[in-house]
C-alpha cells in the first residue's frame, strides 16, 4: 500500500441532503451501501447563512452510525459556526470522531485545534475557496485533516469550483512533505459539488476523502437504496 495512504479513498456522504424526517434510516442505508464516514454539516445562520443541526442530533444518530461489519462509523463533523470553542465539547460528548472548523471562525486557531484533540477527537481545518493554506504553516502537528471547500459553505447542491483542484494539489504537497518529515499522515478531504463525473479528477489532484451530499442523497433507488450511486463513485475512483 502507498505509505502515505493516498490510495485509501473514503466516501463521506453529507446528510445535509438527506431526508431530515428520517435521518437515522438515511444514515443506516448509506452505510449499508458502503459509505465510510458520515459527514455532519453544522450551520449557525451567523458564520454561514443557513441553519442546520447540532450536538443533540449527533447524539441521536450515534447509535445508527454503524458499519456493516459492526464497527462504529466515523462521524465527521464540519462546523460552520462562530464562535467555535463553546460547542466543541458538546460534539465530542455527542460521539463525533472528527471535528473540523474554519480558521476565520476561531480567534485562537491553535487553541481550538488543541481543544478538539483534548476531547479525544481528530481535528480538522477547513479552507474556503478564497482562504489561503498559510493557516497551516505553524500548526501541522496539531492537524489531523485538511478540508478543502470546493463551494462556498452554506448550502448543498452547488457547482464544484474548478480552482479548488489547484488548492487540493497544493495541500497534497504540504501534507506529503510533512509526512516525509514526521511519519504522520494527515487526511485530505474535499467538500462541495463532488459527483461521479469529477471525483476521479479530485482524486488525481491528491484528495483521499470525498464529501458528497446531493450526489448521494439525490440518487436513492427504490430497490437498492444508495448502492447504485455509491458503486458509481467507487468505480470512478478505481479508474482515477
Ligand atoms: C456545504 C457543506 C457540504 C454540502 C455538500 O456548506 O459543507 O458538505 O453538504 O453538498 P453537495 O455535495 O451537494 O455540494
Ligand atoms: Zn461539509
Amino acid at each position: 500500500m502507498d505509505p502515505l495512504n493516498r490510495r485509501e479513498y473514503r466516501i463521506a456522504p453529507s446528510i445535509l441532503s438527506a431526508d431530515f424526517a428520517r435521518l437515522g434510516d438515511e444514515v443506516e442505508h448509506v452505510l449499508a451501501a458502503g459509505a465510510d464516514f458520515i459527514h455532519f454539516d453544522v450551520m449557525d445562520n451567523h458564520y454561514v447563512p443557513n441553519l442546520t443541526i447540532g450536538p443533540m442530533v449527533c447524539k441521536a444518530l450515534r447509535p445508527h452510525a454503524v458499519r456493516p461489519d459492526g464497527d462504529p462509523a466515523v462521524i465527521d463533523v464540519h462546523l460552520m459556526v462562530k464562535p467555535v470553542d463553546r460547542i466543541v465539547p458538546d460534539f465530542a460528548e455527542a460521539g463525533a470522531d472528527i471535528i473540523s472548523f474554519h480558521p476565520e471562525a476561531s480567534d485562537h486557531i491553535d487553541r481550538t485545534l488543541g481543544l478538539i484533540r483534548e476531547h479525544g477527537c481528530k481535528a480538522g481545518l477547513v479552507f474556503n475557496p478564497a482562504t489561503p493554506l498559510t493557516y497551516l504553516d505553524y500548526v501541522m502537528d496539531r492537524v489531523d485533516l485538511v478540508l478543502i471547500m470546493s463551494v462556498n459553505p452554506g448550502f448543498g447542491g452547488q457547482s464544484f469550483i474548478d480552482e479548488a483542484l489547484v488548492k487540493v494539489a497544493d495541500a497534497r504537497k504540504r501534507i506529503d512533505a510533512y509526512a516525509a518529515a514526521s511519519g504522520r499522515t494527515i487526511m485530505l478531504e474535499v467538500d462541495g459539488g463532488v459527483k461521479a463525473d469529477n471525483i476521479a479528477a479530485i482524486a488525481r489532484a491528491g484528495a483521499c476523502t470525498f464529501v458528497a451530499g446531493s450526489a448521494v442523497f439525490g440518487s436513492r433507488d427504490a430497490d437498492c437504496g444508495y448502492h447504485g450511486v455509491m458503486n458509481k463513485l467507487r468505480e470512478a475512483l478505481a479508474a482515477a
Side-chain angles (χ1 to χ4, degrees), residues 61-136:
L61 289 180
R62 183 66 269 179
H64 297 267
V66 179
R67 296 170 60 96
D69 62 7
D71 286 345
V74 167
I75 299 184
D76 170 29
V77 172
H78 174 191
L79 294 180
M80 289 160 273
V81 304
K82 185 178 181 174
V84 181
D85 293 7
R86 185 14 232 115
I87 206 76
V88 163
D90 294 11
F91 272 103
E93 169 77 15
D97 298 286
I98 304 170
I99 301 179
S100 302
F101 65 98
H102 291 249
E104 300 93 333
S106 172
D107 288 330
H108 304 280
I109 295 163
D110 184 83
R111 176 182 287 156
T112 304
L113 290 167
L115 180 70
I116 293 169
R117 285 173 140 207
E118 275 163 27
H119 282 82
C121 298
K122 304 269 186 210
L125 263 190
V126 191
F127 295 83
N128 283 336
T131 303
L133 292 176
T134 47
Y135 280 109
L136 286 171

Side-chain angles (χ1 to χ4, degrees), residues 37-197:
F37 293 176
I38 295 298
H39 186 79
F40 192 102
D41 285 309
V42 184
M43 305 183 187
D44 66 350
N45 190 37
H46 172 66
Y47 180 65
V48 290
N50 200 357
L51 187 64
T52 59
I53 45 181
M56 286 189 289
V57 176
C58 184
K59 190 171 183 176
L61 289 180
R62 183 66 269 179
H64 297 267
V66 179
R67 296 170 60 96
D69 62 7
D71 286 345
V74 167
I75 299 184
D76 170 29
V77 172
H78 174 191
L79 294 180
M80 289 160 273
V81 304
K82 185 178 181 174
V84 181
D85 293 7
R86 185 14 232 115
I87 206 76
V88 163
D90 294 11
F91 272 103
E93 169 77 15
D97 298 286
I98 304 170
I99 301 179
S100 302
F101 65 98
H102 291 249
E104 300 93 333
S106 172
D107 288 330
H108 304 280
I109 295 163
D110 184 83
R111 176 182 287 156
T112 304
L113 290 167
L115 180 70
I116 293 169
R117 285 173 140 207
E118 275 163 27
H119 282 82
C121 298
K122 304 269 186 210
L125 263 190
V126 191
F127 295 83
N128 283 336
T131 303
L133 292 176
T134 47
Y135 280 109
L136 286 171
D137 279 353
Y138 305 105
V139 294
M140 289 294 266
D141 283 352
R142 285 174 288 297
V143 170
D144 301 296
L145 175 142
V146 172
L147 172 49
I148 305 295
M149 292 305 298
S150 38
V151 297
N152 285 292
F155 302 94
Q158 303 180 80
S159 299
F160 187 89
I161 297 172
D162 286 332
E163 192 71 18
L165 292 175
V166 176
K167 196 186 276 182
V168 172
D170 287 351
R172 171 49 63 197
K173 275 188 214 145
R174 282 175 178 256
I175 288 170
D176 284 357
Y178 174 75
S182 69
R184 199 174 71 88
T185 303
I186 295 174
M187 290 177 272
L188 180 52
E189 183 172 43
V190 174
D191 184 5
V194 175
K195 315 267 178 219
D197 65 6

